[in-house]
Amino acid sequence: MLSERMTTDGCDSMENLQTTFAEMLVSNTLPRHCEDNVTKNSSCGFVSIGFPITMMITGMVGNSFALILVCISYRKKENKRKRSFLLCIGSLALTDLFGQLLTSPIVISVYRAQLKWESIDSSGRLCSFFGVCMITFGLCALFLASAMAIERALAITCPHWYSSHMKTSVTKQTLAVIWLLVLLFALLPIAGVGEYTPQWPGTWCFISTGDRGNMFFAITFAVLGIFSLLVTLSCNVLTIRGLIIRCKTKSGTSQSSRQWERLTTETVIQLLGIMCVLLICWSPLLVLMVRMISSQVSSHQCNSTAKENHSSTRDAHLDCNFFLTTIRLASLNQILDPWVYLLFREILLRKFCIMANAVSNAVSNCSIEDQRETQTALDALNNKNQESNSLHKPQGS
């Protein structure tokens, strides 16, 4: 009897440990005691609210700095050929800046309201506004990246057509069309197509993926995002290929060929950085959305099942926590955009090229010195051979 009781107690303790571990997994984004006392307990509330505050500040600084550089470069007369590209970069920085300014204060307010969205949005209109901002600024950033990738690919692969057809007015019209179409698409839930709902842990609103009535809108968003990523990656690969081909045809020792090689190196590094950032920031969100749509699971369902500890809901909670991580990665793209498109090119890429040139020059100098030392040794050996031959010659000859 004692052994049976010990066994029973041991099983109960193991079940309690498993239950506690499951609760920790469910609430790894926000501990349970933080939900009740976000603003009072600095150990949880301050850490949680620090994330959106940090993102807002860094996004504002980076995009504002990028806008200043774009305005300065756009006014220079020698940059007339680059004005289309500068307009695209300026529009992207402006989009990311407004995205941070319009969404981050709402998230911070919800954190201050102890993660209760209803306390600041009893009518639900703020949730719709937040969802429209998320879709608009998210898709605009992706489409603007695709527009810049297409512009660069045309400039490299079809330079004559680009110089004759790609005018500043065409760029402005394209940017206006992108903004208008994306905004109309984001307003569809307000017209009854789709729905914006508060998502786990109740600090943001996004597309509801768990209902069949919202499936069309959610699938369309995921398809548009994946299509934009594929277009951007394909055009950047074409640009890299065209740059390498033109660099090989212009290889030489002249100053113009060296400048072209340096420009090619800078552009290739920048394009590789853009592709890596886009894939890391957007691929997890889009892939997870496709998975959640196929399984008819929505992140807002975690709010109603947060207190349950059944094993059947554990995977759904983990998906909800991962969904929060993916949306944060997508928001991180708004902070990284000005750096990978403009600021890193002006600061780091030139330093990298200078270091690469210094290394190559050092290697070439070392090889030249080795050749000189080898030649000197051969000359000395030849001189010794000539002297020894002259000494062994007969005197009368």
Side-chain angles (χ1 to χ4, degrees):
M1 295 294 291
L2 182 61
S3 61
E4 291 179 357
R5 184 175 179 181
M6 292 177 62
T7 306
T8 304
D9 294 340
C11 293
D12 291 339
S13 61
M14 288 297 296
E15 291 178 357
N16 292 332
L17 287 174
Q18 292 177 357
T19 302
T20 305
F21 182 69
E23 290 177 355
M24 292 174 63
L25 287 176
V26 171
S27 59
N28 62 355
T29 304
L30 187 72
R32 184 68 55 80
H33 67 277
C34 294
E35 295 182 3
D36 299 330
N37 197 9
V38 174
T39 57
K40 295 179 182 179
N41 192 344
S42 60
S43 64
C44 57
F46 179 76
V47 174
S48 299
I49 201 174
F51 190 86
I53 291 177
T54 303
M55 291 188 65
M56 183 180 68
I57 294 175
T58 53
M60 289 175 57
V61 172
N63 288 293
S64 299
F65 191 35
L67 282 173
I68 293 173
L69 290 179
V70 168
C71 292
I72 294 174
S73 300
Y74 189 82
R75 293 178 180 178
K76 293 181 179 180
K77 295 181 180 181
E78 59 268 19
N79 290 334
K80 287 185 177 180
R81 295 182 179 180
K82 300 180 181 179
R83 284 188 173 180
S84 295
F85 188 68
L86 291 173
L87 281 174
C88 292
I89 293 182
S91 300
L92 181 62
L94 192 64
T95 300
D96 293 336
L97 180 62
F98 272 98
Q100 291 287 336
L101 290 176
L102 293 179
T103 58
S104 295
I106 299 176
V107 176
I108 295 171
S109 301
V110 178
Y111 273 109
R112 299 296 299 175
Q114 299 183 5
L115 301 178
K116 296 179 181 179
W117 187 276
E118 295 79 9
S119 62
I120 66 169
D121 183 27
S122 57
S123 62
R125 294 179 180 177
L126 185 62
C127 184
S128 299
F129 173 77
F130 193 95
V132 170
C133 290
M134 292 288 289
I135 299 301
T136 301
F137 296 113
L139 281 183
C140 273
L142 286 175
F143 286 162
L144 289 174
S146 299
M148 284 187 283
I150 294 172
E151 188 266 348
R152 279 191 300 264
L154 291 175
I156 297 299
T157 58
C158 306
H160 299 291
W161 185 93
Y162 178 85
S163 60
S164 59
H165 292 84
M166 198 64 184
K167 305 298 181 180
T168 306
S169 58
V170 177
T171 305
K172 293 179 180 179
Q173 293 174 3
T174 304
L175 296 175
V177 169
I178 290 175
W179 261 93
L180 181 61
L181 292 179
V182 172
L183 181 60
L184 291 176
F185 174 76
L187 292 174
L188 286 180
I190 299 178
V193 181
E195 183 183 7
Y196 295 120
T197 55
Q199 307 292 319
W200 172 261
T203 57
W204 56 293
C205 285
F206 201 64
I207 305 171
S208 178
T209 57
D211 302 328
R212 290 187 177 182
N214 303 321
M215 191 172 296
F216 171 77
F217 184 69
I219 291 176
T220 305
F221 172 80
V223 170
L224 289 175
I226 294 173
F227 174 75
S228 178
L229 278 180
L230 292 177
V231 170
T232 304
L233 296 178
S234 302
C235 291
N236 285 338
V237 170
L238 289 177
T239 303
I240 292 174
R241 179 177 177 272
L243 284 171
I244 293 175
I245 292 174
R246 293 183 64 178
C247 186
K248 289 181 179 180
T249 57
K250 293 186 177 183
S251 61
T253 58
S254 62
Q255 185 177 0
S256 60
S257 62
R258 291 179 179 176
Q259 291 179 353
W260 179 258
E261 290 178 359
R262 179 182 58 81
L263 180 62
T264 300
T265 305
E266 291 180 1
T267 307
V268 169
I269 295 173
Q270 184 188 29
L271 294 178
L272 291 175
I274 290 171
M275 290 189 290
C276 291
V277 169
L278 284 175
L279 285 175
I280 293 173
C281 291
W282 279 100
S283 296
L285 174 62
L286 297 174
V287 172
L288 184 61
M289 279 196 66
V290 172
R291 177 186 171 186
M292 296 178 73
I293 292 169
S294 61
S295 59
Q296 295 185 2
V297 175
S298 181
S299 177
H300 76 275
Q301 296 174 356
C302 293
N303 294 324
S304 59
T305 60
K307 297 181 180 180
E308 299 179 4
N309 297 318
H310 301 293
S311 59
S312 59
T313 60
R314 192 179 304 168
D315 294 337
H317 288 311
L318 293 177
D319 285 342
C320 291
N321 292 327
F322 186 61
F323 194 36
L324 178 63
T325 303
T326 58
I327 201 67
R328 284 177 172 176
L329 281 176
S331 301
L332 186 64
N333 186 55
Q334 296 177 338
I335 300 174
L336 297 178
D337 274 342
W339 295 97
V340 296
Y341 280 101
L342 186 63
L343 301 180
F344 275 166
R345 182 180 179 88
E346 297 292 335
I347 300 173
L348 295 182
L349 291 180
R350 296 190 183 279
K351 290 184 178 180
F352 177 82
C353 292
I354 291 174
M355 291 176 61
N357 291 331
V359 171
S360 62
N361 291 332
V363 172
S364 61
N365 290 333
C366 289
S367 62
I368 292 173
E369 290 178 359
D370 291 339
Q371 291 177 1
R372 289 177 179 175
E373 291 177 357
T374 304
Q375 187 65 34
T376 304
L378 291 175
D379 293 339
L381 183 60
N382 291 329
N383 291 331
K384 289 182 179 180
N385 291 332
Q386 291 178 0
E387 290 177 357
S388 61
N389 291 331
S390 61
L391 290 174
H392 287 88
K393 285 182 180 180
Q395 296 292 334
S397 60

